[in-house]
Amino acid sequence: MRKLPLALLTALSLTAAPALAQGGPPGGKTTLAIGLTNMSATLHPGFDPTQAQGFVLAMARRGITGWTPELQLVCRLCETLPTVQNGMVKPVTLPGGAKGWAVTYRLREGLAWGDGTPVTSRDVVFGWEVGKHPLSGYAQGSLYTEEIEKVEAVDARTFTVTRRRASCDQADLSRFVILPEHVERPIFEKAPAEYRTRSTYVTNPANPGLWFGPFKVASVQPGASIVLDRNPGWRGTAPQFERIAVRIFDNRQALEANLLSGAIDYVAGEQGFSVQQAKTLGERHADRFQVAWTQGVGFNALFVNLEDPILGDARVRRALYQAIDRPSIVKRVLYGRAVVRHNWVSPLEPAFDPAAGEVAYDPDAAAKALEAAGWKPGPDGIRRNARGERLVVSLDWPAVGDDLVQQVMIDGWRRIGVETRANATAPRTYFSDVVPKRAFRGMAYLAWFPEPREVPVTSLGSRAVPTRDNNFAGRNFSGYRSQEMDSWLDKAATQCAPAEAKAAWSGLQRRFAADLPVLPLWSRQVPYVVPVWLDGLRPNAVTATSNWVEEWRRK
């Protein structure tokens, strides 16, 4: 996809706030305390990715490449971004005669793991070996198994990635996970299927040999806190803060109480306050906090388990979608700080196709659709099919708030004759077990954050459905399988000329709108609640703000 207009992408506003009466934080403050509302059960970058996990990991490690807030692909660990023009991207012939591309990278000099061991090409090769293993269970497994043919070390700092097909972003390795071979290889080779739970990232995450960013993980209390200390081996800009303490809360009320009491300094937008909380807090405590809002390209959605006998019917999914009063939720519950979504491609994207179809709020049409699908009103108002079975659907969500949003959806479904069984689960379990292992029966409330220009192979591709057999690899949580969608995904990844790319992305969106494996709801403006004395933050809609943690400063 083409680059987004920055003005539309960021849409950043900052609530004015005077300086603190005492002139800033307490003198000599060297620790920054940050609050989040959930965290993955693991800090291994290959498993259970969430915004909160990404926020923490970006302080302790970096990708080979990465995206700036302006949607520019840049080198993070490499010296030069490979291109055809600089000779680092070359066509090659793959086994069987197909055409592939050899992309060569050179790591920056001086990169080292926190225990002093140099980061080398062997760590890159080992990362590929783990990612492509059929039992590793990587969330982004298709990157290693479908897109990459092989990874070869040329020398200690140079390596070549052979891609199986042309790509519109050949040099992008932002999702590729480098692993410390000297720490992890013995564990992985002993039992690949058990690597997810036996990795040092799980058993001893404070091992310095796992980290090479501006900070390294010093201690972890699962579900409670993660402490990161400044990494003396970091060769980039030195962070001002010596320590960052990330505290994790089960609910947003506790998050707010700890911010106001001073127990934490800053609430990250990556997984923090609701729109309602941030708006109120910014108005009442403007002397202490600034509230920065960014309009994200990510969105909230309902992932539908297509193996459920009721929800497997596209007519029922469309009826449920039509019965959600998204415009009213955006206006009244989210205070207008959101945009209704109809597709997984953001309207801000040049690739967005408005002709793919919108599903408007229309409860009358929803009722007629259920009638046509064989669901007739019962004596208690809940519909029944010809066998007398009630129309009951399940809704799962993380217990961190948004209860009013859920209730509005449930009430809307009740009015068209659908009963809902709601299940709230603690965030840690929800994001580590319920969703990744597809343990929800009906619908799961989740946020989807596509990366820049990302073709959603891992979210919509047939081979990306997490199952026990593949150790729950992939992010196609709906269990969606469509040969036509797979074909469009392949074309979108490989056809880069404007006309062909437009046709491919249009085909993707039209197939998605017809099948509705996921029900897009809205894109929220994301609030960052920042103390007035903290400077250098880059709230943005593209990537974790902690990718620039070394720039954070006291004013």
Side-chain angles (χ1 to χ4, degrees), residues 371-384:
E371 289 275 353
W375 295 98
K376 310 297 182 182
D380 59 353
I382 301 302
R383 295 178 180 272
R384 289 168 168 76

Side-chain angles (χ1 to χ4, degrees), residues 120-452:
T120 72
S121 299
R122 290 180 58 88
D123 297 312
V124 180
V125 174
F126 175 60
W128 170 66
E129 292 174 357
V130 174
K132 75 183 180 70
H133 196 284
L135 297 180
S136 68
Y138 262 31
Q140 299 279 5
S142 63
L143 169 65
Y144 307 88
T145 60
E146 297 182 26
E147 297 182 33
I148 295 175
E149 172 71 20
K150 61 182 176 179
V151 180
E152 298 174 290
V154 178
D155 57 39
R157 291 170 50 204
T158 309
F159 62 94
T160 297
V161 177
T162 301
R163 290 185 175 267
R164 289 178 173 162
R165 56 190 183 187
S167 168
C168 301
D169 286 299
Q170 290 280 44
D172 182 13
L173 279 184
S174 56
R175 294 178 290 141
F176 190 99
V177 175
I178 295 181
L179 293 174
E181 182 185 38
H182 67 294
V183 176
E184 294 291 272
R185 181 177 285 281
I187 302 169
F188 174 73
E189 291 185 343
K190 183 177 181 179
E194 300 174 17
Y195 178 62
R196 178 195 293 262
T197 56
R198 292 191 175 186
S199 162
T200 312
Y201 288 95
V202 176
T203 61
N204 183 21
N207 184 325
L210 302 174
W211 313 109
F212 57 85
F215 290 84
K216 57 183 179 180
V217 174
S219 67
V220 175
Q221 291 184 328
S225 68
I226 299 169
V227 175
L228 302 100
D229 286 342
R230 193 158 55 189
N231 182 4
W234 173 248
R235 294 293 187 90
T237 301
Q240 184 182 84
F241 294 99
E242 294 181 5
R243 168 170 287 186
I244 291 183
V246 178
R247 294 188 58 193
I248 303 152
F249 300 90
D250 288 335
N251 60 76
R252 289 170 173 153
Q253 290 71 33
L255 183 70
E256 181 174 350
N258 278 267
L259 180 68
L260 294 177
S261 72
I264 56 176
D265 302 308
Y266 157 50
V267 174
E270 281 75 6
Q271 196 68 52
F273 282 137
S274 67
V275 168
Q276 302 96 312
Q277 279 182 300
K279 178 178 181 295
T280 302
L281 192 145
E283 293 169 349
R284 294 180 178 176
H285 302 280
D287 60 325
R288 297 176 59 191
F289 305 106
Q290 309 173 79
V291 181
W293 298 88
T294 64
Q295 179 61 61
V297 294
F299 60 96
N300 290 90
L302 296 175
F303 282 69
V304 183
N305 189 337
L306 300 182
E307 294 175 3
D308 179 87
I310 293 176
L311 297 174
D313 188 335
R315 295 170 297 179
V316 174
R317 297 198 295 275
R318 183 168 295 273
L320 292 172
Y321 201 24
Q322 290 174 313
I324 302 173
D325 191 354
R326 288 172 289 157
S328 290
I329 292 175
V330 166
K331 180 179 180 180
R332 299 173 183 173
V333 181
L334 303 178
Y335 296 96
R337 289 196 175 273
V339 177
V340 172
R341 288 288 288 267
H342 300 276
N343 211 308
W344 62 269
V345 178
S346 168
L348 301 179
E349 297 267 17
F352 176 71
D353 182 4
E358 296 184 355
V359 179
Y361 173 59
D362 192 341
D364 292 335
K368 292 178 181 178
L370 292 179
E371 289 275 353
W375 295 98
K376 310 297 182 182
D380 59 353
I382 301 302
R383 295 178 180 272
R384 289 168 168 76
N385 61 15
R387 296 187 296 273
E389 298 168 333
R390 291 162 57 84
L391 181 48
V392 180
V393 299
S394 296
L395 173 64
D396 285 77
W397 78 86
V400 292
D402 279 349
D403 291 354
L404 184 55
V405 167
Q406 326 299 344
Q407 193 56 54
V408 173
M409 291 193 292
I410 291 170
D411 289 345
W413 293 331
R414 177 79 188 193
R415 285 194 291 272
I416 63 169
V418 179
E419 179 181 334
T420 307
R421 292 176 181 166
N423 311 293
T425 306
R428 180 179 172 83
T429 302
Y430 187 80
F431 291 108
S432 298
D433 292 312
V434 174
V435 174
K437 297 180 180 179
R438 302 184 65 231
F440 59 96
R441 177 181 173 182
M443 295 173 285
Y445 183 64
L446 197 63
W448 183 351
F449 295 92
E451 292 191 6

